[in-house]
């Protein structure tokens, strides 16, 4: 895509937005014809509830289906609410069973039942397989439409089998290999079959099996698919029997959602369920207010700490000038450590049992950072406020950096150990904790050095 | 992988780590045999420079190659430094041209030249294609080993051509279609060719072309590949001629690196080039110290602001008690907004030209949050410190939340507009800015309400 292309698409989208805001439906419909389905999806991400339904109704039937399938489940559900049942039924029947199950999770029970009632028998069956697994498990997100090969079959037999399923299967490029009891025995790369002699047995050319249990969390399964760098991850039941496949593009969708959630949590908010501009202000407030309140209530501990040292501040008001600088630096050091360790945990470079190794490293890192910043802080503060204050600031910076790095590095591991998502427990909490303890350290050092 | 499997791998890894730290090489070599290549890579992520080379030398030749190829470029470079040239030459010749180019970027010029000198002619040629593109461009990361189809060829001709290249090409499942001038005309799904009659022409069954220019940034190309949910993204030159392909697994690697970088930047540090436990403490300090210093120097502005209001604090020391709570809440609100908008930007839901729309939304969100928190703050502070102080706290919370949300939401867009990575400009900077302005607001409100 060249720059001039993308400009045109932006221009057209803007034209449609403009036409919609002036209720010029004909104009919008005309402009819509020059957009590809993926651009229509991007456009819908910028529209409110009402206009999304208007745009959708303006699409020709086959375009409408393609667009619907590309939308996020929450936006699909919005459309189901906005449209009449008969407009939805056809689209619903055309969806992949896994996408259908995800949409059903977003709908009220009444609507879900009505839609399922009108579904053809065979599709209902495929959907039931997926719906049988717990929400958030990979069983719920896998595709039950796959083609498998028998390990004792020949290449020729297998290629015929693959060709016969070519229109139904989600992919034919990576083929799970099973025995006659449907137990997963290996994985076959289609190109290996194309390369082999026709009478070779599949067992000879297949690779070692890799898989996830259907009850595994969708996120963990997607991480595994991505780490293994495979196009397909077979999904098995308790007895290692093949029940479905996770394709790399579905893994990408799961990872994107998980990432959005982690990023939101790290900043102390809940993920938005719709694209930013398509989310009502009310929902944005809701996604942020609870964590903000929790953190603010947590921060009242700093008020209490300062109250304890109120007499010290009264004696030397100059001490209060450095409070934001000191706790800010502590917060930054803690966040740096927490972010590094959280990521190392996520990619598997660090494990919960490494907690002491990590804390020991972070104490060394924090101490080094603290020595550097503390020396600088001592020098600068000494010039402007005298050596005594300089000493207090230098020593406090050193202590706070060490403490913050150790807490920031240790916290994600402790969170994982007690079964909490490290992202939830992350940066804002560390900041609050380091703020309060940092203040105690500061005033204790000040009292000792200044003899207050 | 069941839980008991992963336990065993952990146990074996631990045994090897233990054997290495006691220099029991034979023990380590024996335990190493029961690990798969990907587990050896995970193990190496936990070892220091010396032990990584020891483990590598203990691997049989074919295992060593597989492991080497899976390592991060920085760890590959570490190994090149630790091993003798003759140990490296063979591995270097076996690598994919794109991976080889990435490794060369990590090596000193002298070593790079020596390795290239020993490379077979054909491999050298492929490597030169990739090396001809600028660092960080997708041309540098694409694979020049692909199979293409001619649009005027038949399916039968194309399948023969594909089979003949099956061992060299990086993938055969998605085939770029070109005309006789090598211009990209479309993209062919192998399954479409397998489904079609043998005398169908490729032009009839191919899909619309999609591609990126070779000079596009590697990250943007990877995002495009992932957004399109395709297995292969063709890479073209200025004249739309096909020069290489980006496969989805290479796109995943690029995205992972980009993500690591963004996450580090958001927390105010530089990304680590090696896995956490394999990074020397010195390098960790280096990745953090510059940003920490910059932010600390930025934070001295809060000292200056407070100094301006020193007389006010002296009159009412109680005002200083709320400083951490107020600026903390401002920082949290700003981070929430910045994270949401940065993400919306990254996935394309928001564009730089939406800056006023976004700021208008964030002011509404911030005002709502501020009203809620401000009312609560007023009530609680009034009980403990009297109505006047309560009013100051309530009004300040309201103003700070509104300001922080607007700044946090607007900053990523402004950063993008002026060509700066929004992640660099993000949370710690917003915090510092909101801290300083928040303090000014606080004391101005205090002076007005309390008549100081």
């Amino acid at each position: 895509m060249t720059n001039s292309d993308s400009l045109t698409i932006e221009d057209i989208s803007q034209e449609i937005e403009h036409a919609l805001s002036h209720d010029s439906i004909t104009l919008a419909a005309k402009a819509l014809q020059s957009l590809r389905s993926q651009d229509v999806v991007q456009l819908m991400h910028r529209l409110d509830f009402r206009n999304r339904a208007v745009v959708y109704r303006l699409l020709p039937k086959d375009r409408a289906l393609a667009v619907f399938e590309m939308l996020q489940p929450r936006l699909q559900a919005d459309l189901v609410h906005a449209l009449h049942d008969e407009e939805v039924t056809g689209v619903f029947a055309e969806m992949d069973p896994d996408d259908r199950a995800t949409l059903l999770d977003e709908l009220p029970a009444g609507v879900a039942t009505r839609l399922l009632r009108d579904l053809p028998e065979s599709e209902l069956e495929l959907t039931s397989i997926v719906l049988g697994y717990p929400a958030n498990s990979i069983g719920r997100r896998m595709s039950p439409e796959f083609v498998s090969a028998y390990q004792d079959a020949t290449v020729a037999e297998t290629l015929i089998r693959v060709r016969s399923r070519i229109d139904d299967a989600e992919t034919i490029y990576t083929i799970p290999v099973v025995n006659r009891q449907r137990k997963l025995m290996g994985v076959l790369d289609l190109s290996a079959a194309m390369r082999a002699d026709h009478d070779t047995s599949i067992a000879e050319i297949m690779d070692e099996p890799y898989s996830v249990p259907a009850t595994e969390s969708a996120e963990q399964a997607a991480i595994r698919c991505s780490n293994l760098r495979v196009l397909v991850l077979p999904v098995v039941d308790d007895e290692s029997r093949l029940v479905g496949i996770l394709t790399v593009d579905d893994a990408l969708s799961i990872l994107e959602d998980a990432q959005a959630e982690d990023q939101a949590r790290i900043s102390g908010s809940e993920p938005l369920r719709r694209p930013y501009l398509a989310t009502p202000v009310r929902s944005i407030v809701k996604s942020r207010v609870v964590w903000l309140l929790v953190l603010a209530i947590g921060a009242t501990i700093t008020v209490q700490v300062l109250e304890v040292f109120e007499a010290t501040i009264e004696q030397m008001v100059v001490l209060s000038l450095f409070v934001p600088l000191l706790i800010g630096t502590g917060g930054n050091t803690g966040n740096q450590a927490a972010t590094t360790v959280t990521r190392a945990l996520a990619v598997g470079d660090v494990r919960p049992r490494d907690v002491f190794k990590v804390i020991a490293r972070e104490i060394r890192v924090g101490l080094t950072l603290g020595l550097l910043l503390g020396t600088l802080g001592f020098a600068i503060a000494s010039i402007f406020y005298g050596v005594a204050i300089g000493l207090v600031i230098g020593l406090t910076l050193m202590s706070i950096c060490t403490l913050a790095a150790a807490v920031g590095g240790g916290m994600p591991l402790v969170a994982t150990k007690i079964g909490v998502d490290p992202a939830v427990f992350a940066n804002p909490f560390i900041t609050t904790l380091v703020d309060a303890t940092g203040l105690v350290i500061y005033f204790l050092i000040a009292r000792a050095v200044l003899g207050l």
Side-chain angles (χ1 to χ4, degrees), chain A:
Chain A
M1 192 166 61
T2 63
N3 255 336
S4 69
D5 271 349
S6 78
L7 250 175
T8 321
I9 291 164
E10 277 214 20
D11 289 345
I12 300 169
S13 302
Q14 213 162 355
E15 199 185 315
I16 298 173
E17 281 181 61
H18 189 257
L20 289 173
S21 67
H22 291 76
D23 284 319
S24 322
I25 304 297
T26 343
L27 217 71
K30 214 179 138 226
L32 213 49
Q33 285 172 6
S34 41
L35 288 184
R36 291 173 300 176
S37 301
Q38 72 213 51
D39 300 323
V40 177
V41 170
Q42 280 300 93
L43 172 67
M44 284 185 139
H45 281 187
R46 306 172 56 80
L47 299 176
D48 60 19
F49 184 80
R50 194 187 74 96
N51 280 329
R52 258 180 277 141
V54 173
V55 163
Y56 184 79
R57 282 214 171 95
L58 292 176
L59 296 171
K61 207 164 169 192
D62 54 329
R63 288 290 296 285
L65 175 63
V67 166
F68 191 89
E69 285 180 327
M70 276 191 262
L71 286 174
Q72 296 173 11
R74 190 65 238 163
L75 295 189
Q76 291 178 339
D78 283 355
L79 274 182
V80 172
H81 288 298
L83 303 172
H84 298 294
D85 274 12
E86 60 274 18
E87 292 176 280
V88 177
T89 320
V91 174
F92 191 70
E94 289 290 334
M95 291 177 81
D96 283 335
D98 45 334
D99 296 338
R100 198 183 289 138
T102 312
L103 170 56
L104 286 174
D105 283 339
E106 298 284 341
L107 295 173
V111 182
T113 318
R114 230 161 49 223
L115 284 173
L116 282 173
R117 208 186 41 209
D118 295 334
L119 206 60
E121 188 72 28
S122 65
E123 288 297 322
L124 188 61
E125 212 167 285
L126 284 171
T127 309
S128 308
I129 297 177
V130 180
L131 282 176
Y133 292 100
N136 300 322
S137 74
I138 191 60
R140 197 63 161 269
R141 303 292 297 269
M142 72 185 185
S143 169
E145 298 182 297
F146 56 85
V147 53
S148 59
Y150 288 114
Q151 60 169 348
D152 54 6
T154 65
V155 165
E157 286 162 357
T158 303
L159 285 178
I160 291 170
R161 186 181 157 88
V162 167
R163 265 178 229 272
S164 73
R165 296 294 313 277
I166 208 165
D167 291 314
D168 300 326
E170 178 117 351
T171 178
I172 57 161
Y173 300 140
T174 303
I175 304 161
V177 180
V178 294
N179 64 13
R180 297 286 158 176
Q181 285 74 49
R182 281 193 24 235
K183 213 180 140 191
L184 184 75
M185 305 306 288
V187 176
L188 175 68
D189 197 347
L190 177 66
S191 68
M194 289 174 66
R195 202 184 282 137
D197 287 332
H198 273 192
D199 50 1
T200 313
S201 98
I202 294 301
E204 280 174 58
I205 55 169
M206 70 187 189
D207 295 320
E208 292 276 290
Y210 43 82
S211 64
V212 275
T215 47
E216 175 74 277
S217 89
E219 184 179 348
Q220 283 306 317
I223 290 175
R224 191 158 154 75
C225 180
S226 157
N227 281 349
L228 288 174
R229 297 277 189 272
V230 290
L231 302 182
V232 163
L233 183 60
V235 180
V236 296
D237 67 11
D238 296 343
E239 276 125 45
S240 299
R241 281 179 311 214
L242 182 67
V243 292
I245 58 169
L246 171 66
T247 54
V248 67
D249 53 311
D250 287 340
L252 276 170
S253 301
I254 295 171
L255 287 177
E256 275 174 17
D257 289 349
Q259 229 175 69
E261 188 175 303
D262 279 359
Q263 282 188 3
R265 290 272 165 75
I266 282 179
S267 76
S269 60
E270 290 300 309
L272 299 179
R273 318 262 332 264
R274 300 180 181 87
Y276 179 75
L277 292 176
T279 311
V281 166
R282 185 176 13 101
S283 305
I284 300 184
V285 170
K286 249 171 82 182
S287 75
R288 298 184 189 169
V289 69
V290 176
W291 284 115
L292 207 55
L293 261 177
V294 170
L295 293 170
I297 290 167
T300 55
I301 198 176
T302 61
V303 181
Q304 288 159 23
V305 167
L306 286 174
E307 209 164 33
V308 172
F309 293 105
E310 203 173 347
T312 314
I313 303 175
E314 256 166 23
Q315 274 180 281
M316 282 201 90
V317 170
V318 69
L319 288 177
S320 72
L321 307 188
F322 301 99
V323 166
L325 171 75
L326 293 172
I327 62 176
T329 304
N332 288 334
T333 314
N335 283 348
Q336 288 179 329
T339 307
T340 314
V341 174
T342 303
R343 181 162 178 89
L345 254 176
V347 297
D349 287 343
V350 157
R351 298 180 197 140
R353 67 173 160 91
D354 293 319
V355 59
F356 296 112
K357 210 187 265 183
V358 169
I359 291 179
R361 299 194 112 215
E362 287 299 335
I363 287 177
R364 286 170 62 199
V365 173
L367 200 59
T368 316
L369 290 170
L371 278 171
L372 292 167
L373 256 71
T375 312
L376 200 76
F378 166 73
I380 297 176
S382 296
I383 295 169
F384 291 101
Y385 305 94
V387 175
I389 294 285
L391 204 59
V392 174
I393 300 302
L395 286 174
T396 307
L397 276 173
M398 205 189 71
S399 321
I400 286 186
C401 283
T402 313
L403 170 81
V407 171
M411 193 73 105
L413 295 167
V414 172
T416 312
K417 269 206 172 170
I418 60 174
V420 177
D421 180 357
V424 176
F425 227 147
N427 303 4
F429 276 93
I430 291 169
T431 307
T432 308
L433 190 68
V434 171
D435 280 3
T437 33
L439 287 173
V440 173
I441 292 174
Y442 176 41
F443 285 104
L444 289 182
I445 291 178
R447 276 188 183 174
V449 173
L450 305 173
L452 297 174

